[in-house]
Amino acid sequence: MPQLTPEENYKVPSVDFMFREDGEFVTRSTEELSNGKKVVLFALPGAFTPTCSDHQLPGYESFYDMFAEQGIDEIYCLSVNDAFVMNAWAKDQNIEKVKLIPDGNGEFTTAMGMLVKKFNLGFASRSWRYAMVVEDGFMRQIFMEVGMEDNVDGDPYEWSSPEKLLEYVKALTSSIV
């Protein structure tokens, strides 16, 4: 299984994200989104794309309550798209629980080492597909799709699914009890 256990105490990159709320730009930091919380963050190549729209985002939305039952405070969806696109996508998908994070300049994605070129599809640079559990700003586990490389053919989606993450979170929770 392509899960990576990060180096002990791997702090997620400190980045400011630019959201658009009530007609205004609002800046939120990684720390504001994750400190004092246990969160799932999943990243994907792009809003409105088939796998992301048909499976991944709606899957996490439908699993939200099951994650909450396991002690997850928030679920975040991150993409290298701007705030306008992410807001339109959330509305289009009827997302009410998962919070979408616009990494418009790809700063977080670059700092995570997950920025890949998608020039073959006319997408510029985007995030590789992955998901992770973050606790109080520290990555506890990351699940990334296999075959990460620039301009890859295909769109792997297996290890970053809500099913795989929920399985991990349940195992983690049961080992603590």
Side-chain angles (χ1 to χ4, degrees), residues 42-47 52 56-57 77-80 89 127-130:
F42 65 99
L44 40 76
C52 304
Q56 200 167 19
L57 180 58
C77 171
L78 183 137
S79 183
V80 181
W89 190 36
S127 179
W128 189 249
R129 194 182 302 278
Y130 66 95

Side-chain angles (χ1 to χ4, degrees), residues 12-13 15-19 21 26-41 73-78 99-102 108 134-137:
V12 295
V15 171
D16 287 330
F17 299 103
M18 189 64 65
F19 291 84
E21 298 173 358
V26 177
T27 302
R28 290 211 171 76
S29 68
T30 306
E31 291 79 12
E32 183 179 344
L33 296 172
S34 64
N35 286 0
K37 300 175 187 174
K38 188 173 186 179
V39 303
V40 166
L41 182 146
D73 298 305
E74 298 285 355
I75 298 178
Y76 298 123
C77 171
L78 183 137
K99 293 182 174 69
L100 280 66
I101 300 176
F108 185 86
V134 177
E135 190 170 353
D136 197 25

